[in-house]
Amino acid sequence: MLVSYKWLSEYLDLSKISAKELSDQMSLTGIEVEGVEVPEEGLKKIVVGEVKECIPHPNSDHLSICQVDIGEEELSQIVCGAPNVKVGIKVIVALPGSRITGNQKIKKGKMRGEVSNGMICSLQELGYSDNVIPKAYSDGIYYMPEEAVNGDDVFSYLDMDDHIIELSITPNRADALSMRGVAYEVGAIYRQTPKFNDAILEEDTSETAADYISVEVEDKQDTPAYQIRIIKDVKIAESPLWLQTRLMNEGIRPINNVVDVTNYILLLFGQPLHAFDYDKLDSQTILVRRGKSSEEIVTLDGEIRKVSDENIVITNGKVPVALAGVMGGADSEITDETTTVALESALFDSLSVRRTSKEFNLRSESSSRFEKGINPATIGEAGDVAAAMIAKLAGGTVVSEKAVGSELTLEDVVVSVTISRINEYLGTEMDQATVSEIFDTLGFAYELDQEKYIVTVPPRRWDITIEADLIEEVARIYGYDNLPSTLPKGETVAGSLTSGQLLVRKIKSLLEGCGASEAISYALTTEEKSRQFLMRESLTTSLQWPMSEERSVLRMNLISGLLDDVAYNVARKNNNVALYEIGRVFYQDNDPKKQLPHEENHLGIVLSGNKVVKDWQTKEAPVDFYTIKGMLEVLFDSVGIADKISYEATKAHQELHPGRTALVKLNDTVIGFIGQVHPTVAKEYEIPETYAAELNLHAIIEEENDALVYQQISKFPAVSRDIALLVDESVTSQELVRTISKHAGKFLQSVHLFDVYQGDNIAEGKKSMAYSLTFVNAEATLVDEEINQSMEKVEKALIEEFKVTIR
């Protein structure tokens, strides 16, 4: 909300209060001030001029040579390129030595051989943005009013010497989205009562609004209040300069004297209005209802909108002429030919307006106010003041009475609070006089029963409904900076991490010890990437209004985001990448009862490049499947679940290499995968050979960890025996180790695979695998007979289960 200090000064005495002091005080009382801007700052030597003579430039087809009266004895020659420059107009002139927007200095010079003593300016060159400049002047210079005095500074005429205070309004203080609301707020701070100088309505009693139009509201819940006023014999023209500058300083483009009044009332009352061209309605009936699926409307922006039963529409009894609370229709807009205006003042259901606004992506000053709330007590008053202003500025006549479709019956909101309760909450010692004075300055009527206040809240403060709201108001006006500072009381309890949080920290430390760095990727991605590397079937969770297509759905995997990080690094010549991420993925079940996605904590790891960097004595070694598998085994061993983990080769993941991918199982339940990113997918991401793993971290945390058991190192020697096996190449090392461990006996300490061979002297479809078995007895020295018995059992089991040949 932009607040004009000059405008506010019309309602309150701010003669002894600077804009800076006012903004500081408002911030202290609960409405944050983003900043204070003076439009004329950085500009100088810019005056009013009058074009006395204007001839085409002899050496240019688009320049004009103008003789301009700038209040001096002699005319000043200025070369101007604006297409709308002409004789007899008052213009904005930047003199030699002046500065315009962007700190650009204007000098005396020549243009195509002709002397130019300065510059005739457009509003853009004074710092106004294109979206607030009247369309008639958007591609040319701006015309000053005839009463402007030649040679005077333009800043006071354009209100550029005003201070514009930008407020950051929270949703609960929508009453401050109007000048009247801000005036009440500032009045309470400085113990003043605002005085409003609204236009006085005069009606033509020879006719009534009912003679022109009838209004019907189909659903009073959708439209609690709706009324139309008729203003006849209007003449559409430009608004006076004071109204145009006031709107431009508030960030609104002036259109014409009727539309500008509706926007002015929007800022003044916070009440959105809409003006229809009565003759273009092609009906004497207004029907407010829900839209129908087959209906369309062309809105003021020229777009064709298909309405539905989610949208409230204003119709002429047959077809929609406006989207209620959002935007009017192009077929009934105010134009230069308009002579009769039907002025709408209404209250619409905030949820419906919000849905319509989002559906059509039409965010406006009007829709935002209907969404947040408006003062129900001034709906009719705002329409009356607007009608009076239109009659005054457009020379029209206001027809007596209103056409009413629905009216809101206001009920007093009464809230009680005691002085002791206020002091208990705030830690203060306020007395009755202080609290009463605060309620008086807020304009809240009250009755006092001993120390209990029974407060009647005015409709303009619809955010106050409970005791705590009243206490907050007292605290704001009393001053948060005046509240006493006290130390916390009571017992303190030491905080601690849950077992799951501790485990996550441990996992992070382990992975960083393995050389990986933590990455944090966006939870929003594209639909295509969200469906890659899936660990379970799921529907996509899409955003209704995403920032972009690249951030339109919630992720269902971590790997795609990490691959983007790899691509980012590789593109910048950082080729050795080891990243991990712990974050949530979002699964959506096909269950209409479950509206929200199911969140699951995952761990993702990606490796690319070399695990060993080349130096004077070491050859470089690229990462491979076993590099990332080794990181997982370190993790599983450290958290005590290594014995419960198994791996199973798979070709189910299309995004992974079919011969270098495995499922990770915990107690025969799949908790993740590990493998090489498929070359075609790697090419899409523009990355080299990369390996990835993703695990369901929640499943690991939920698994009961084995307690660490510390054992004394045996004082008796260990015995190692090697065994070489010729097996089918389809047999996995995991299966062989499981069988060896099962039959080797209680003295087996470890099994280590030290050789795998396929090639010469090995039959096709076979492979040779060599293991080293280590035996230890903590109580005695092992003898050959015990070892031989264990090895015989192992060999027998391997031959029976896998038909191996012992080499």
Side-chain angles (χ1 to χ4, degrees):
M1 174 69 183
L2 300 177
V3 175
S4 163
Y5 178 79
K6 273 189 175 181
W7 192 357
L8 193 61
S9 299
E10 295 178 8
Y11 309 136
L12 298 162
D13 181 11
L14 303 179
S15 57
K16 297 180 181 179
I17 305 166
S18 68
K20 177 66 169 61
E21 179 188 345
L22 174 60
S23 64
D24 291 342
Q25 199 60 41
M26 291 186 73
S27 292
L28 287 174
T29 55
I31 295 183
E32 183 181 355
V33 176
E34 294 285 349
V36 181
E37 181 183 349
V38 182
E40 71 171 349
E41 282 187 352
L43 310 177
K44 68 176 184 178
K45 297 183 70 175
I46 302 176
V47 301
V48 176
E50 182 177 358
V51 180
K52 294 294 188 181
E53 183 181 326
C54 181
I55 61 173
H57 195 294
N59 300 320
S60 173
D61 58 357
H62 70 279
L63 297 177
S64 301
I65 301 174
C66 303
Q67 304 298 325
V68 184
D69 181 359
I70 55 174
E72 297 179 356
E73 292 183 2
E74 296 183 0
L75 299 179
S76 181
Q77 178 171 300
I78 300 176
V79 178
C80 179
N84 60 337
V85 66
K86 60 184 180 180
V87 174
I89 59 173
K90 296 285 184 79
V91 293
I92 302 168
V93 178
L95 303 176
S98 65
R99 290 192 182 275
I100 60 175
T101 188
N103 200 30
Q104 184 178 350
K105 188 174 182 179
I106 301 300
K107 299 178 180 179
K108 179 179 178 180
K110 285 188 176 182
M111 296 184 68
R112 301 283 181 93
E114 296 292 337
V115 174
S116 183
N117 297 308
M119 177 182 184
I120 299 177
C121 297
S122 66
L123 289 177
Q124 288 96 328
E125 286 152 342
L126 268 61
Y128 287 92
S129 60
D130 290 334
N131 63 337
V132 303
I133 297 173
K135 290 184 178 180
Y137 306 110
S138 60
D139 296 323
I141 57 176
Y142 186 71
Y143 297 169
M144 296 295 289
E146 293 182 3
E147 59 270 20
V149 179
N150 297 342
D152 282 0
D153 281 347
V154 300
F155 304 128
S156 59
Y157 289 102
L158 297 175
D159 279 340
M160 296 186 70
D161 54 351
D162 194 3
H163 290 69
I164 308 301
I165 304 171
E166 184 179 358
L167 304 182
S168 179
I169 306 298
T170 52
N172 65 310
R173 287 305 308 274
D175 62 289
L177 286 172
S178 69
M179 288 300 300
R180 290 170 73 104
V182 174
Y184 280 114
E185 178 72 13
V186 175
I189 295 172
Y190 291 103
R191 306 306 192 261
Q192 296 183 33
T193 301
K195 297 179 181 178
F196 302 106
N197 51 354
D198 298 329
I200 298 174
L201 178 65
E202 296 181 1
E203 297 178 308
D204 178 9
T205 57
S206 64
E207 294 180 297
T208 66
D211 298 331
Y212 286 79
I213 201 164
S214 63
V215 178
E216 181 184 348
V217 172
E218 197 171 82
D219 188 340
K220 300 296 193 294
Q221 296 291 328
D222 284 345
T223 312
Y226 192 93
Q227 54 186 242
I228 293 272
R229 269 202 174 275
I230 300 295
I231 306 99
K232 63 180 182 179
D233 302 328
V234 300
K235 294 181 180 178
I236 306 301
E238 281 188 11
S239 298
L241 183 61
W242 70 266
L243 181 52
Q244 290 193 46
T245 56
R246 187 155 287 181
L247 292 178
M248 287 192 292
N249 283 341
E250 295 285 340
I252 296 178
R253 186 200 300 273
I255 306 296
N256 56 54
N257 49 6
V258 171
V259 176
D260 291 353
V261 166
T262 63
N263 287 327
Y264 177 84
I265 295 300
L266 170 78
L267 297 171
L268 178 58
F269 285 86
Q271 171 65 54
L273 304 174
H274 184 69
F276 297 98
D277 185 322
Y278 171 79
D279 296 318
K280 291 181 181 177
L281 288 175
D282 196 28
S283 171
Q284 290 188 325
T285 300
I286 289 288
L287 172 62
V288 185
R289 58 168 171 80
R290 289 283 178 143
K292 300 175 182 177
S293 57
S294 60
E295 291 181 317
E296 293 181 344
I297 179 175
V298 180
T299 47
L300 288 171
D301 57 2
E303 295 290 330
I304 299 175
R305 314 283 183 180
K306 293 183 178 181
V307 301
S308 67
D309 58 5
E310 289 286 326
N311 314 127
I312 305 172
V313 293
I314 315 300
T315 73
N316 63 358
K318 300 176 183 177
V319 296
V321 294
L323 291 172
V326 178
M327 185 174 283
D331 294 339
S332 59
E333 70 174 317
I334 303 297
T335 62
D336 292 343
E337 291 74 35
T338 299
T339 57
T340 305
V341 174
L343 183 65
E344 167 196 281
S345 183
L347 171 63
F348 300 109
D349 176 63
S350 59
L351 183 59
S352 177
V353 172
R354 172 70 173 169
R355 285 173 175 165
T356 301
S357 175
K358 288 183 65 178
E359 178 182 347
F360 297 115
N361 196 22
L362 289 174
R363 298 287 295 160
S364 65
E365 295 284 349
S366 294
S367 66
S368 67
R369 283 167 172 79
F370 277 125
E371 291 168 21
K372 294 179 176 67
I374 62 174
N375 184 357
T378 58
I379 296 171
E381 182 183 355
D384 293 346
V385 174
M389 288 186 66
I390 291 173
K392 181 179 179 181
L393 299 180
T397 301
V398 181
V399 175
S400 65
E401 300 181 9
K402 309 170 187 177
V404 179
S406 59
E407 282 188 288
L408 196 61
T409 302
L410 297 180
E411 297 181 0
D412 290 340
V413 176
V414 179
V415 184
S416 300
V417 69
T418 62
I419 297 176
S420 59
R421 187 71 163 165
I422 293 172
N423 287 326
E424 179 186 352
Y425 263 74
L426 304 180
T428 55
E429 296 181 357
M430 283 186 269
D431 56 18
Q432 178 180 312
T434 302
V435 176
S436 296
E437 190 264 346
I438 290 174
F439 285 141
D440 287 334
T441 197
L442 284 167
F444 292 2
Y446 62 87
E447 294 179 5
L448 190 57
D449 182 8
Q450 295 181 354
E451 70 154 12
K452 182 178 182 181
Y453 285 89
I454 303 171
V455 180
T456 302
V457 182
R460 60 182 170 82
R461 291 302 305 275
W462 60 90
D463 58 305
I464 299 176
T465 56
I466 59 175
E467 177 190 77
D469 296 331
L470 281 182
I471 296 174
E472 180 187 6
E473 290 302 298
V474 173
R476 288 193 318 104
I477 304 305
Y478 183 72
Y480 290 127
D481 52 332
N482 293 324
L483 299 180
S485 300
T486 57
L487 293 173
K489 297 179 182 180
E491 297 180 0
T492 59
V493 179
S496 63
L497 298 175
T498 66
S499 58
Q501 291 170 330
L502 286 170
L503 186 58
V504 167
R505 289 196 177 186
K506 182 177 181 179
I507 290 171
K508 287 184 176 183
S509 179
L510 289 168
L511 293 174
E512 286 161 11
C514 291
S517 300
E518 184 175 12
I520 300 175
S521 305
Y522 287 111
L524 296 172
T525 184
T526 65
E527 183 169 359
E528 179 185 1
K529 289 182 179 179
S530 75
R531 302 203 68 82
Q532 294 178 337
F533 306 100
L534 285 181
M535 289 172 54
R536 54 169 278 191
E537 286 299 318
S538 171
L539 299 177
T540 303
T541 305
S542 302
L543 273 65
Q544 288 185 335
W545 294 106
M547 296 181 292
S548 64
E549 286 297 322
E550 289 74 25
R551 301 280 179 258
S552 59
V553 302
L554 287 171
R555 66 187 178 189
M556 293 184 284
N557 69 85
L558 299 182
I559 301 301
S560 59
L562 289 171
L563 294 183
D564 285 334
D565 298 338
V566 173
Y568 183 90
N569 280 271
V570 169
R572 288 154 181 79
K573 307 301 181 184
N574 182 23
N575 297 313
N576 302 327
V577 183
L579 299 173
Y580 77 90
E581 179 174 5
I582 293 176
R584 297 178 187 273
V585 298
F586 305 86
Y587 295 128
Q588 185 80 49
D589 296 323
N590 190 12
D591 186 348
K593 296 181 180 179
K594 295 182 179 180
Q595 299 295 327
L596 298 176
H598 168 65
E599 300 181 24
E600 197 169 88
N601 221 19
H602 278 205
L603 165 65
I605 307 173
V606 291
L607 301 180
S608 184
N610 294 323
K611 62 181 177 182
V612 178
V613 180
K614 177 182 178 182
D615 60 23
W616 65 276
Q617 64 175 353
T618 308
K619 293 183 179 180
E620 65 182 23
V623 298
D624 55 21
F625 178 89
Y626 300 102
T627 307
I628 194 167
K629 182 171 180 286
M631 293 175 68
L632 294 189
E633 289 179 344
V634 169
L635 187 157
F636 296 140
D637 186 59
S638 297
V639 300
I641 59 173
D643 294 340
K644 304 175 184 178
I645 296 295
S646 60
Y647 301 88
E648 181 182 302
T650 181
K651 298 181 180 180
H653 288 275
Q654 297 180 352
E655 297 83 15
L656 296 170
H657 194 297
R660 299 179 182 176
T661 302
L663 297 176
V664 181
K665 291 186 174 183
L666 174 62
N667 296 329
D668 296 326
T669 301
V670 176
I671 63 165
F673 59 82
I674 176 175
Q676 180 189 341
V677 176
H678 198 287
T680 58
V681 176
K683 187 177 180 180
E684 292 174 3
Y685 280 91
E686 298 182 355
I687 58 177
E689 184 175 312
T690 301
Y691 292 86
E694 184 163 335
L695 303 175
N696 180 354
L697 193 58
H698 180 73
I700 297 174
I701 293 172
E702 288 295 311
E703 180 66 24
E704 184 178 352
N705 298 330
D706 291 339
L708 291 175
V709 179
Y710 295 91
Q711 293 180 338
Q712 186 178 3
I713 296 175
S714 175
K715 58 186 177 181
F716 299 101
V719 179
S720 294
R721 290 289 180 88
D722 295 343
I723 183 172
L725 314 172
L726 189 64
V727 299
D728 291 339
E729 63 181 0
S730 61
V731 178
T732 66
S733 176
Q734 181 175 263
E735 293 173 316
L736 295 172
V737 170
R738 187 184 296 119
T739 299
I740 292 171
S741 300
K742 182 179 179 181
H743 294 88
K746 62 181 180 180
F747 298 133
L748 180 67
Q749 185 183 53
S750 64
V751 180
H752 175 64
L753 174 68
F754 66 86
D755 184 56
V756 178
Y757 177 73
Q758 280 182 290
D760 295 342
N761 301 321
I762 299 295
E764 188 175 349
K766 299 287 185 177
K767 61 183 176 181
S768 174
M769 304 185 73
Y771 292 90
S772 177
L773 282 63
T774 302
F775 298 87
V776 175
N777 185 351
E779 299 176 353
T781 300
L782 289 169
V783 297
D784 286 345
E785 291 181 3
E786 293 175 306
I787 303 299
N788 291 338
Q789 287 178 1
S790 295
M791 293 300 295
E792 287 174 2
K793 291 179 181 179
V794 168
E795 291 174 2
K796 182 180 179 182
L798 291 172
I799 293 170
E800 290 179 352
E801 291 188 32
F802 303 107
K803 295 182 174 54
V804 306
T805 301
I806 308 298
R807 302 183 68 197

